[in-house]
Amino acid sequence: MAARNIGIDDIEAALSLHNVNMPTGTLWGPRQAYTVQATGQLDTAAEYRPLVVAYRNGSPIRLEQLGQVIDSVENNKVAAWYNNTRTINLNVQRQPRQQYRPGGEQHQGAAAQLP
């Protein structure tokens, strides 16, 4: 990206311009991660690859020329395991200044029935 004089802001602007319902994702750099939030119509990585991010010397620079464009999850750096089985975490927290209402036991029983 640096060799083509293209920054993270250029990519985010291009994604926002070319699409109105895009998944949220993260651009992982060697020292920082940037969250991309946009809202559109492209659904797969293959649809994003040819997207023109900028023009340099009259030539289009496409997203696929700047890095890998893959179908994946928003954050692949976190996973949960229980007894050597992949799981999901569901955190339920009490909100500040909210009253406690009995019934949490019902939710705990329902959660135990999840696959």
Side-chain angles (χ1 to χ4, degrees), residues 7-67:
I8 298 294
D9 294 340
D10 296 320
I11 294 173
E12 186 173 18
L15 293 174
S16 297
L17 275 174
H18 288 81
N19 203 0
V20 293
N21 188 18
M22 296 172 17
T24 301
T26 305
L27 298 171
W28 296 95
R31 293 185 195 94
Q32 292 179 315
Y34 296 92
T35 300
V36 177
Q37 294 181 343
T39 61
Q41 297 164 348
L42 302 179
D43 293 322
T44 66
E47 295 171 320
Y48 283 93
R49 287 186 188 111
L51 192 87
V52 175
V53 174
Y55 287 89
R56 296 294 183 260
N57 299 321
S59 298
I61 304 295
R62 301 187 186 281
L63 193 56
E64 63 191 345
Q65 295 173 287
L66 301 174

